[in-house]
Amino acid sequence: MESYLEERFGGVGPKNSSEEALRRWRRLCSVVKNPKRRFRFTANLEKRGEAEAIKHANHVRPFPPSLPPSLSSSAMLSRRLLVPPGSGGDLGLRLHGLPGRSRRLVPNRCQLTQAHTAGVSQEKLRVAVLVSKAALQFIHGLSLRSEYVVPEEVKAAGFQICADELGAIVEGHDSKKLIIHGGVDGIAEKLATSKTDGLTTDEDSIKRRQDIYGINKFTESEVRSFWVFVWEALQDTTLIILAVCAFVSLVVGIAMEGWPKGAHDGLGIVASILLVVFVTATSDYRQSLQFKDLDKEKKKIQVQVTRNGFRQRLSIYDLLPGDVVHLAIGDQVPADGLFISGFSLLINESSLTGESEPVAVNEDNPFLLSGTKVQDGSCKMLVTTVGMRTQWGKLMATLSEGGDDETPLQVKLNGVATIIGQIGLFFAVITFIVLSQGLFRNKYHEGLLLSWSADEALELLEHFAIAVTIVVVAVPEGLPLAVTLSLAFAMKKMMNDKALVRHLAACETMGSATTICSDKTGTLTTNHMTVVKACICGNIKEVNGPQNASKLCSELPEVVIKTLLESIFNNTGGEVVFNQDGKYQILGTPTEAALLEFALALGGDFKVKRDETKIVKVEPFNSTKKRMSVILELPGGGLRAHCKGASEIVLAACDKFMDETGSVHPLDQTTADKLNGIIDSFAGEALRTLCLAYREMEEGFSIMEHIPSQGYTCIGIVGIKDPVRPGVRESVATCRAAGIMVRMVTGDNINTAKAIARECGILTEDGIAIEGPEFREKKLDELLELVPKIQVMARSSPLDKHTLVKHLRTTFNDVVAVTGDGTNDAPALHEADIGLAMGIAGTEVAKESADVIILDDNFSTIVTVAKWGRSVYINIQKFVQFQLTVNVVALLVNFSSACFTGSAPLTAVQLLWVNMIMDTLGALALATEPPNDDLMKREPVGRTGKFITNVMWRNILGMSFYQFFVMWYLQTQGKNFFGLEGTDTDIVLNTIIFNSFVFCQVFNEISSREMEKINVLKGMMSNYVFMAVLTSTVIFQFIMVQFLGEFANTTPLTVHQWLASVLLGLAGMPIAVAIKLIPVGSS
C-alpha cells in the first residue's frame, strides 16, 4: 500500500508544492462522502489564483494619474510607441530612469508580440516612452496648480487631505500631486502631525483620525457559526441517502403499523444521523476556533513608532495616517507611506508585485507600499494610507481565504481513505446483492417481480440501508481530518510552549527531523550582551562594570576617547532615546546595545556626539560583508569613515593603529600578530569580538561611491560576553539521544564558535569545525566526506548556510530544521524542510520565510517542537491503526454474515454509532495524546520512513482476526453459549454481538495508545480527553442497549450478558500484548 500511496499521492511535500501536485491528488479522491468536510482544511486554489491576479495587476499597471489624459489615449500612445492604435493587450516596459512603480508603464493597447511584428525592439519602445514622459514632465512642471478640494468632513475633523487623495499619491507613485501638496512636509502638515515628534495621542484626536482614514486592518473572513458546520456535516452523501431511507421507512411503517410503532426504525436512523452530525459539527467548530486563534497570533507584528515625541513599540494594527515609523533591514512596511529620512534604503516589492528586483527609495522616490520588505538600509516613514485602502490590504483579504497547503500526511491519508472507500463500496454492493438475492429469487419464482407488498419493500429498504451504512463505516472520512485535529491540538499546546506554528505541515515534518542547523547568538546563548573586555591602543582592560569603564576612560588620551565615542555613537544601527519616564532606553540589536552601553559607561552622550557631525552615507551591517561602515562630515570640514565588524576582517582592512598616546603608526606585522593573538584569546574565552576602525577621507568622497574597504586605522577591539542559555547542554544531549544531529552555523569567529559549541555539547571529539570561506572552496567529492562530520561552521555567509542545508537534504537525504533571524537567512529557511525563525531577534522577512516561530528564541523550545512533531506523527499512526481495525472487522462481519446467514447482525443505526466511535470520538481520544519523554529516545522517522509500518499492519491484522473470530463465534454459537431460547433469541443475540463489538473497540482504543509497548495504561488517567471519550462511549452504549431498543434495534441485556460482552472486549488487551510480542521486520 505504501508504494501505491507514494506513487499516486506522494507528490505533495511539506512545503512549496506545485499547484499541479495539489490538484492531482484531489482528482484521485474518487470515493468522498462529504467534499465540504473532507477538503475544508486544504488550500483554496481558486482564491490563490485571484491573489496572483492581483499581484500581476500591481506589477502591470497603467500610466500613473500624474500624466494628462492626452497621453493616455490610444492614438497618442500609438504615435509615441510606433504601434497601431487599438492593438489591445498589455505591454510591461521597464523604465529604469523613473522612480518606483512609475518605471513600469503599461500602455493598455499595446502588446509585445505586436511590437515585434512592427519591427520595433523593446529597447526603442522604452526610450520612446522615457522621452515622452520627460518632455511632458518638463511642459507640465512649469505650471503646477492644485485642483484638489478638501471634503468638508475632513476639514471639520482638522485635516487638509482625504484618504483617497493620499492613496492616489502613494499607490500611484504620483510625484506631481506630491509636489502640489507641498511634498512630504506638506502632507505631514495636512495630516496634522510632526515629522520629528509624530502624532499626539489624546483620545479625541485618535478617534477623529480613525473616522476619516480608517484602521490598519484588512477584511478577514467571518468566524463561521456552529450551524454552518452542522449544515456542512449534513452534506454527507451517505447520510443524505440514509435520511431518504429513513423517510421512506417512516412513511411505509406508519402506513402499515401506525404511530408510534411503525416509526421506530425510521426515527432510529434519523436520531443516529443527527447524533453523528452534531458530534462531528462540534468537533469541527472547536477546530476552526483554534485555527482562528492561531491566525491572530501569526499576524501580531510590532513596529518602532514615534508618538508624542517618544519612541515606542506599537502593533501594526494601531497605526494611523500621520504616524512616524522607524524601519530597519528585514522589517515589513506596515502601511503605505512616504520616506522622511534614511540611508541606503532598498525595498523588495515581490510580495506585492511578484517582481524580485529591489527598488531604491529616497527623497526622489519617496513612495513606500504596505507589505513590501526592507531589503537593505533603514529609514523613517510617514504613514499615509492604512488597511483596506492599500493594495496589500486587498491582497491579504484574498490570500487569507487561500488557506494553508495540505500536509503530506493529510494527502496520504486521503489516499488511504480512497482505497478503503473503494473496497468498502465494492463490499457494500456485494452485501446488498447477497442480502436481497433471496427476496428477488422468491419474487421471480412466484412471477411477482412487479408486485411488492409493504413488508417486502421495507425489507429491501433495510438491506439497502445496511449496504449504505457499510459505506459510511468503510470510508474512513475521519482519517485526513484526524491529521488536522491532531495538528490543531498540537499547535495550540505549542503556543503555550513558546512556539508559533505558521504552516500546518511543519508540525508533522518536525517529527521526522534528523538534523538541526542552529544559530549561536540568541538561540544557544541568552542574547543579553555586555562588553567585558577591551583592547584599546594595544592595552587589554577588563570593562565589565561602570567603575572599570571609568578607570579605562581616565587612562586613555582624550583624542582616543573622542574617536572611540564618535565611532560607536555614529556607526551604529541602534539608538539611545528617552522614554516618557525620562529614562534613557537603548534600541537596536543586542550587539549594538552592548556597544552603546559601553560608550555611555565611558561618559559619552549619544545626542551630543550625533549633533557634532553629519552622517553622509551608511552601509548597514549584513552577514555577507560582516561589517558596517559610515561616512561622517566633520564640524571643521572634511570627511571621516568609520568601520566596525568581524575582528579579523576589519583588522585586515587596517594599515595603521593608535598607540597608548593616541598617536597613529603604521601597522607592522608584529603589531598585527599581537592584535590577532588578542582576538584569538578573547574568542577562546567564548567572547564575541568586534574591531573598531576609522579612516580620514582626505581625497574626498562621492555619495555614489562605496565606502572604502581598506586603509583604516585600528582604534581597538572589544570582547562581548553572551552567556550560554541554561538547559541548552541538556537539550543537545536529548537531541543526540533522539538521533537528531545538532550543528552550529554562525557568523562569529571560529574560536568563539568552538568554545560555545563545546560548552553546549555540540562539538565532540570526532566532529569538525570549519570556516565558511574554507567550506566554499571544497569540491563536491570532498564535501561528500566532510558534510556529515561538520558540527560547527563559523564565519559563514547566508550562501554557506543554504549550501550546507541543500547538501544535507538532497545528497544525504536528511530532514533538516534550520534556525534563522536575519533577512539573509530567508533562502536557507526556505530551502530547509522546517524553517525556524526567532520571535525576538528575528526580522519580519525571516519570520515570513519560516514555518515555525520560536517566540522565546530558546534552543530548548526547538527540542519541544521536535517532541510535539513526533507526538503528532505517532498519534495519527495510532488513530489510523485503530480506525483500520474497526473498518476491517465491520466490513468482514456484515459481509460474511450476509453471505452465510442471509442477514446482517449490525443494523444501520448500530453501524452509525460504531462509525462515530471510530471516527470523531476515536480521533479525539487518540489524536490528542500529549507527548512524553520516551518519544525522544527513539530514532527519527526520516525522509524514507513508512507511515503505515509493519508494526501497524501486525497490530491491525492481529486484532482484526481476534475481533472477527469473536463476532463469528457469537453469530454461530452464541445462542448455545448464552442458552438463548424463545422468540426473541435473534434480537438478544444481535444485541450481544453489537455490545461485544463496541466493547472490543473500547478496549482496542486503550491498546492502541501504544503500538509497541506493553504498558498502555501509563498516563491514561491524566489524559482527560481520552478518559472523557471512553466514559461517554460506555455510558451512551449502556443507554442505547437498555433504553433505546425500539430505535437502535436492541433489547435490554442481563447482568451476565453485559459481563460477557465486557470480558470479550477486555480479552482483546492481553491478545494485543501477545500480538506485540510477534517480531516483524522493517521491510
Side-chain angles (χ1 to χ4, degrees):
M1 183 186 273
E2 195 76 26
S3 57
Y4 177 83
L5 288 173
E6 197 60 43
E7 181 188 334
R8 309 202 75 187
F9 294 89
V12 177
K15 58 203 259 188
N16 312 321
S17 298
S18 68
E19 186 176 325
E20 173 53 32
L22 296 177
R23 289 193 186 280
R24 187 164 68 93
W25 78 262
R26 286 166 169 76
R27 291 195 295 268
L28 292 171
C29 290
S30 55
V31 182
V32 180
K33 296 188 295 182
N34 189 344
K36 273 189 179 294
R37 185 165 184 252
R38 174 84 80 91
F39 302 120
R40 180 185 295 129
F41 294 107
T42 55
N44 186 331
L45 301 179
E46 283 64 37
K47 284 292 178 186
R48 289 190 178 183
E50 287 178 30
E52 285 303 314
I54 292 174
K55 277 189 183 182
H56 181 70
N58 288 336
H59 173 53
V60 181
R61 298 179 61 81
F63 277 95
S66 57
L67 296 180
S70 58
L71 182 62
S72 299
S73 71
S74 176
M76 174 67 86
L77 289 177
S78 308
R79 289 198 297 275
R80 298 285 184 208
L81 302 177
L82 308 177
V83 179
S87 53
D90 287 329
L91 171 62
L93 305 179
R94 293 210 53 80
L95 305 184
H96 296 282
L98 301 179
R101 223 178 287 166
S102 321
R103 298 180 305 172
R104 297 185 286 278
L105 303 184
V106 184
N108 287 335
R109 300 187 178 278
C110 305
Q111 201 166 31
L112 186 58
T113 52
Q114 291 164 327
H116 278 299
T117 307
V120 183
S121 70
Q122 188 171 344
E123 182 61 21
K124 287 182 181 178
L125 293 176
R126 187 182 75 79
V127 172
V129 177
L130 270 172
V131 172
S132 303
K133 179 150 175 74
L136 280 157
Q137 283 181 333
F138 175 75
I139 295 164
H140 291 275
L142 297 175
S143 56
L144 293 175
R145 67 183 186 278
S146 176
E147 296 173 3
Y148 173 68
V149 179
V150 184
E152 287 303 321
E153 66 271 18
V154 175
K155 274 186 186 176
F159 309 112
Q160 297 300 313
I161 189 166
C162 70
D164 290 339
E165 184 74 356
L166 287 167
I169 292 169
V170 178
E171 195 182 314
H173 285 54
D174 196 331
S175 303
K176 179 182 170 185
K177 274 189 180 177
L178 182 60
I179 294 166
I180 288 169
H181 285 288
V184 179
D185 289 332
I187 296 290
E189 189 179 330
K190 291 182 178 187
L191 281 170
T193 188
S194 162
K195 291 198 307 180
T196 51
D197 294 340
L199 294 179
T200 53
T201 53
D202 59 279
E203 200 171 318
D204 180 57
S205 165
I206 295 291
K207 180 74 172 62
R208 282 186 285 113
R209 207 172 282 272
Q210 286 176 342
D211 290 342
I212 295 297
Y213 299 109
I215 57 174
N216 198 30
K217 290 184 179 178
F218 57 83
T219 305
E220 297 184 69
S221 53
E222 291 181 12
V223 179
R224 295 192 296 176
S225 73
F226 171 71
W227 297 106
V228 172
F229 289 94
V230 171
W231 173 246
E232 286 190 358
L234 282 166
Q235 312 277 311
D236 190 309
T237 310
T238 50
L239 292 185
I240 291 169
I241 295 169
L242 283 176
V244 172
C245 292
F247 176 74
V248 174
S249 176
L250 273 171
V251 171
V252 177
I254 292 169
M256 285 181 59
E257 301 180 53
W259 177 271
K261 191 177 179 185
H264 287 157
D265 287 348
L267 287 178
I269 296 175
V270 169
S272 300
I273 289 170
L274 289 176
L275 183 64
V276 168
V277 164
F278 275 94
V279 171
T280 301
T282 303
S283 173
D284 291 351
Y285 179 61
R286 285 175 57 80
Q287 268 179 262
S288 77
L289 292 180
Q290 284 182 318
F291 281 122
K292 203 74 182 171
D293 291 342
L294 288 164
D295 276 342
K296 283 180 187 171
E297 289 294 332
K298 288 180 197 176
K299 292 164 188 166
K300 283 184 178 175
I301 299 174
Q302 300 273 318
V303 287
Q304 289 279 348
V305 178
T306 297
R307 280 189 174 182
N308 298 321
F310 297 105
R311 283 279 284 274
Q312 52 197 277
R313 289 185 72 78
L314 202 67
S315 166
I316 60 168
Y317 296 131
D318 296 327
L319 288 181
L320 291 167
D323 264 319
V324 174
V325 178
H326 302 260
L327 296 175
I329 187 168
D331 284 344
Q332 177 175 305
V333 180
D336 285 3
L338 295 166
F339 175 92
I340 297 174
S341 61
F343 300 97
S344 312
L345 188 64
L346 284 179
I347 297 291
N348 186 328
E349 293 187 352
S350 60
S351 56
L352 193 63
T353 66
E355 185 181 348
S356 57
E357 186 180 336
V359 175
V361 175
N362 45 44
E363 289 88 349
D364 298 326
N365 175 37
F367 307 107
L368 289 156
L369 296 175
S370 177
T372 57
K373 310 293 188 302
V374 180
Q375 186 166 314
D376 205 359
S378 60
C379 79
K380 269 196 332 185
M381 74 169 270
L382 175 69
V383 175
T384 58
T385 321
V386 292
M388 289 303 293
R389 295 181 185 276
T390 66
Q391 278 298 320
W392 181 246
K394 293 163 194 166
L395 178 62
M396 287 307 291
T398 307
L399 273 177
S400 66
E401 296 177 39
D404 262 351
D405 277 359
E406 42 273 26
T407 74
L409 264 188
Q410 276 177 306
V411 174
K412 204 168 268 190
L413 290 180
N414 266 294
V416 173
T418 300
I419 295 166
I420 295 171
Q422 289 166 344
I423 295 168
L425 192 60
F426 171 77
F427 274 94
V429 171
I430 299 296
T431 302
F432 177 72
I433 291 169
V434 171
L435 286 173
S436 306
Q437 56 88 23
L439 187 60
F440 277 101
R441 189 171 60 242
N442 292 338
K443 298 293 290 180
Y444 176 75
H445 287 315
E446 293 168 8
L448 298 173
L449 268 176
L450 300 176
S451 175
W452 291 74
S453 68
D455 277 344
E456 289 166 338
L458 274 176
E459 187 182 347
L460 188 66
L461 188 68
E462 188 183 337
H463 294 164
F464 181 69
I466 288 169
V468 171
T469 314
I470 285 176
V471 176
V472 173
V473 177
V475 179
E477 201 91 315
L479 280 182
L481 294 168
V483 179
T484 318
L485 177 68
S486 187
L487 291 173
F489 174 77
M491 287 164 74
K492 190 77 175 169
K493 294 290 185 184
M494 285 162 74
M495 264 300 297
N496 300 333
D497 290 337
K498 304 296 183 189
L500 172 60
V501 179
R502 292 186 72 252
H503 300 131
L504 271 178
C507 260
E508 64 187 48
T509 312
M510 195 66 194
S512 310
T514 56
T515 293
I516 298 174
C517 295
S518 174
D519 279 341
K520 174 183 76 69
T521 307
T523 308
L524 299 169
T525 61
T526 61
N527 221 13
H528 296 144
M529 300 192 190
T530 47
V531 177
V532 294
K533 271 191 174 183
C535 169
I536 311 293
C537 301
N539 294 320
I540 300 172
K541 300 288 180 186
E542 298 276 346
V543 291
N544 52 343
Q547 290 181 335
N548 287 341
S550 300
K551 187 180 175 187
L552 174 67
C553 192
S554 63
E555 292 173 0
L556 292 173
E558 187 180 341
V559 64
V560 173
I561 294 294
K562 184 181 175 185
T563 309
L564 180 62
L565 293 178
E566 182 181 270
S567 177
I568 293 173
F569 284 140
N570 286 288
N571 188 24
T572 179
E575 210 171 335
V576 180
V577 298
F578 287 88
N579 59 25
Q580 288 161 310
D581 300 328
K583 295 179 180 176
Y584 78 80
Q585 181 183 357
I586 299 175
L587 304 173
T589 65
T591 307
E592 297 285 16
L595 280 173
L596 290 170
E597 190 75 61
F598 173 54
L600 292 171
L602 290 174
D605 186 310
F606 180 82
K607 191 170 186 313
V608 169
K609 271 292 171 193
R610 288 294 279 258
D611 291 344
E612 282 177 5
T613 56
K614 179 186 173 186
I615 296 175
V616 176
K617 181 166 183 174
V618 176
E619 287 184 359
F621 179 89
N622 67 44
S623 48
T624 305
K625 297 182 297 184
K626 301 203 183 303
R627 62 185 186 182
M628 176 181 181
S629 305
V630 64
I631 299 282
L632 302 179
E633 187 180 317
L634 302 174
L639 299 170
R640 181 178 292 159
H642 281 280
C643 177
K644 74 166 182 211
S647 298
E648 60 271 33
I649 292 173
V650 174
L651 186 61
C654 295
D655 55 14
K656 295 181 276 297
F657 75 101
M658 295 179 88
D659 67 9
E660 58 272 13
T661 66
S663 304
V664 175
H665 299 281
L667 182 64
D668 55 25
Q669 190 59 47
T670 305
T671 310
D673 290 344
K674 179 187 172 186
L675 291 173
N676 276 312
I678 290 167
I679 292 169
D680 289 341
S681 71
F682 280 14
E685 296 173 43
L687 299 182
R688 188 174 203 184
T689 62
L690 290 176
C691 182
L692 307 172
Y694 76 95
R695 168 181 166 161
E696 302 293 351
M697 304 294 292
E698 293 162 354
E699 67 281 10
F701 179 75
S702 165
I703 194 76
M704 302 305 291
E705 297 173 20
H706 284 295
I707 297 175
S709 57
Q710 295 292 326
Y712 284 87
T713 300
C714 178
I715 305 169
I717 296 157
V718 294
I720 299 172
K721 182 72 176 172
D722 185 12
V724 170
R725 283 184 183 272
V728 164
R729 190 176 184 87
E730 292 78 5
S731 296
V732 170
T734 301
C735 285
R736 189 163 279 127
I740 302 171
M741 174 81 159
V742 181
R743 306 170 200 268
M744 179 198 288
V745 183
T746 178
D748 253 350
N749 178 291
I750 191 164
N751 293 322
T752 306
K754 282 159 77 172
I756 295 283
R758 286 195 186 98
E759 197 175 337
C760 294
I762 292 172
L763 187 58
T764 58
E765 291 297 322
D766 54 348
I768 291 175
I770 192 171
E771 287 189 314
E774 185 186 344
F775 175 76
R776 259 168 264 159
E777 297 300 317
K778 298 290 182 186
K779 294 181 181 147
L780 184 59
D781 56 332
E782 292 175 299
L783 286 175
L784 289 174
E785 188 179 341
L786 181 70
V787 167
K789 297 177 184 174
I790 292 177
Q791 292 177 340
V792 176
M793 188 187 287
R795 287 289 180 240
S796 67
S797 70
L799 186 61
D800 298 329
K801 187 189 264 192
H802 183 269
T803 305
L804 176 64
V805 171
K806 194 169 183 181
H807 275 299
L808 287 168
R809 285 188 71 242
T810 55
T811 311
F812 299 97
N813 227 13
D814 276 337
V815 177
V816 185
V818 170
T819 71
D821 53 17
T823 306
N824 291 326
D825 287 327
L829 291 170
H830 189 74
E831 173 69 29
D833 294 287
I834 313 103
L836 304 159
M838 300 298 108
I840 299 169
T843 63
E844 287 308 317
V845 171
K847 289 176 190 177
E848 196 171 278
S849 299
D851 305 293
V852 180
I853 298 172
I854 306 301
L855 298 174
D856 60 356
D857 290 15
N858 194 337
F859 184 80
S860 300
T861 305
I862 298 172
V863 179
T864 304
V865 172
K867 191 191 291 185
W868 269 108
R870 290 188 174 198
S871 176
V872 165
Y873 195 86
I874 286 169
N875 283 351
I876 296 165
Q877 284 184 315
K878 292 175 190 174
F879 175 65
V880 169
Q881 175 183 298
F882 170 70
Q883 190 168 41
L884 291 186
T885 304
V886 186
N887 284 138
V888 170
V889 177
L891 268 179
L892 288 176
V893 166
N894 266 22
F895 176 70
S896 60
S897 178
C899 289
F900 294 106
T901 68
S903 65
L906 300 176
T907 66
V909 172
Q910 292 166 0
L911 281 172
L912 282 172
W913 168 234
V914 168
N915 179 64
M916 199 168 72
I917 292 173
M918 73 170 189
D919 194 327
T920 309
L921 295 179
L924 271 173
L926 291 170
T928 57
E929 282 267 354
N932 55 61
D933 292 335
D934 292 340
L935 289 173
M936 298 303 282
K937 291 176 184 172
R938 58 175 75 191
E939 288 297 307
V941 175
R943 197 177 298 282
T944 55
K946 290 180 180 178
F947 177 69
I948 302 180
T949 62
N950 288 351
V951 167
M952 290 170 68
W953 281 121
R954 176 195 68 192
N955 296 345
I956 290 166
L957 294 174
M959 282 310 298
S960 297
F961 178 78
Y962 166 72
Q963 288 184 20
F964 178 67
F965 174 77
V966 168
M967 296 302 108
W968 185 247
Y969 178 80
L970 287 176
Q971 241 183 316
T972 54
Q973 305 297 321
K975 289 181 183 179
N976 296 330
F977 183 81
F978 288 102
L980 300 178
E981 294 176 354
T983 55
D984 61 348
T985 54
D986 284 343
I987 191 168
V988 172
L989 181 61
N990 283 347
T991 302
I992 292 170
I993 291 171
F994 168 55
N995 209 31
S996 302
F997 183 69
V998 168
F999 276 99
C1000 279
Q1001 306 326 315
V1002 167
F1003 289 105
N1004 186 32
E1005 204 160 12
I1006 297 172
S1007 297
S1008 296
R1009 291 187 70 241
E1010 291 289 349
M1011 290 186 291
E1012 295 185 76
K1013 289 185 180 174
I1014 305 300
N1015 184 3
V1016 294
L1017 301 177
K1018 183 181 177 183
M1020 188 175 86
M1021 301 307 289
S1022 58
N1023 186 345
Y1024 303 120
V1025 176
F1026 189 89
M1027 292 307 298
V1029 168
L1030 277 193
T1031 307
S1032 59
T1033 302
V1034 171
I1035 290 170
F1036 197 77
Q1037 177 66 15
F1038 179 79
I1039 292 168
M1040 272 186 81
V1041 170
Q1042 297 299 112
F1043 305 109
L1044 299 177
E1046 294 288 352
F1047 300 101
N1049 301 106
T1050 58
T1051 189
L1053 299 178
T1054 65
V1055 173
H1056 291 98
Q1057 290 164 348
W1058 267 101
L1059 189 61
S1061 299
V1062 173
L1063 287 174
L1064 284 170
L1066 181 61
M1069 291 188 69
I1071 298 289
V1073 170
I1075 291 166
K1076 287 174 186 176
L1077 296 175
I1078 300 171
V1080 287
S1082 58
S1083 59

